Amino acid sequence: MSGSEADGGLALPAEVGPAVTLLIADDDEVTRSGLSMLLAAQPGISVLGEAADGIEAVDRALSLRPDVVLMDVRMPRRNGIDATRRLLAEAADPPKVVVITTFENDGYVTAALGAGASGFVLKRFPVRRIAEAVRVVAAGEAVLFPAALGRMVAARPLGSAAALPQAALTGREEEVLRLMATGLSNPEIAESLTVSLETVKTHVGNVLTKLGAQNRTHAVVIAYESGLVVPRFAE
């Protein structure tokens, strides 16, 4: 997605389509109930249920089959990282996972992104922005905050840096990956490179396959870890 870290890099679609179904997992009952009530009141979102820990999050997601799981990372019994990994491995048609956390430099978030989460939001964000993130991820895009992600990876690398040199990306695929890491969507990458949207989709698909990445967010994490993209802390 495009946009600065200050505005969250989110863009609400011009028309809200069918309601996105959502499961909220957080061990704090007040936070969980508050998010459930507030997000259920947002246009285009239907909250299917709640979970109080990582084990319950996986069980309820497998039974309710939401489009998106809003996953806290620090939970008892099973944390959000393990819950994300387990859910994406066990579900036949896995939901998208948006990590929600208190601190943007939380190392747990980086690990969750590497496990397959499609992005992250902060608990201090206005509910409107969290709702936008849910819609964006449900539509197949990623929720990226390049400066914050760069800081997290620089502070706590995941150990997948070797994936990039071993992937043998073409020059154009590396270029597309760099643009992905800035938060650009596929249409914006197509405009930047003056190529068709279908060409960009093909390049993105090749990048994910060659890197063994769960999704474009995971690919961007690898790009930062490998040094292909240098973290920018001034944003």
Side-chain angles (χ1 to χ4, degrees):
M1 298 298 301
S2 62
S4 67
E5 187 177 7
D7 64 16
L10 304 176
L12 186 62
E15 296 182 2
V16 177
V20 174
T21 55
L22 178 66
L23 174 71
I24 299 172
D26 195 299
D27 64 313
D28 183 84
E29 184 178 359
V30 173
T31 299
R32 187 176 68 249
S33 299
L35 284 171
S36 181
M37 179 184 66
L38 293 170
L39 288 170
Q42 293 294 304
I45 292 180
S46 174
V47 177
L48 297 183
E50 303 173 14
D53 58 57
I55 291 179
E56 188 179 8
V58 174
D59 290 343
R60 300 220 69 194
L62 291 174
S63 63
L64 296 175
R65 302 183 65 182
D67 297 318
V68 179
V69 176
L70 191 61
M71 184 84 75
D72 189 18
V73 289
R74 301 188 182 195
M75 294 187 290
R77 297 209 295 167
R78 180 182 293 153
N79 63 40
I81 303 165
D82 293 337
T84 296
R85 187 178 295 110
R86 182 73 64 89
L87 179 57
L88 297 184
E90 293 187 5
D93 184 17
K96 306 292 185 182
V97 175
V98 176
V99 172
I100 185 164
T101 185
T102 303
F103 305 106
E104 67 180 32
N105 62 346
D106 194 335
Y108 282 96
V109 177
T110 321
L113 296 177
S118 295
F120 73 96
V121 292
L122 301 180
K123 292 183 179 181
R124 61 176 170 79
F125 282 177
V127 66
R128 174 187 59 81
R129 288 179 59 188
I130 297 175
E132 288 172 4
V134 169
R135 296 190 197 97
V136 165
V137 164
E141 284 288 354
V143 180
L144 296 176
F145 305 93
L149 183 55
R151 282 193 294 268
M152 286 191 293
V153 172
R156 183 177 175 175
L158 292 177
S160 61
L164 186 62
Q166 292 174 355
L169 298 181
T170 66
R172 180 46 64 94
E173 288 166 353
E174 285 195 7
E175 192 173 12
V176 167
L177 180 54
R178 284 192 182 93
L179 292 174
M180 288 165 57
T182 67
L184 295 188
S185 65
N186 286 352
E188 291 166 332
I189 294 173
E191 181 179 357
S192 176
L193 298 179
T194 320
V195 297
S196 71
L197 179 58
E198 289 305 314
T199 296
V200 172
K201 289 180 179 179
T202 298
H203 287 317
V204 171
N206 289 342
V207 167
L208 299 186
T209 298
K210 289 182 177 182
L211 293 179
Q214 294 268 7
N215 51 39
R216 63 193 294 139
T217 308
H218 187 198
V220 169
V221 170
I222 294 172
Y224 275 111
E225 290 182 335
S226 68
L228 178 68
V229 177
V230 178
R232 295 172 58 191
F233 303 112
E235 291 185 31

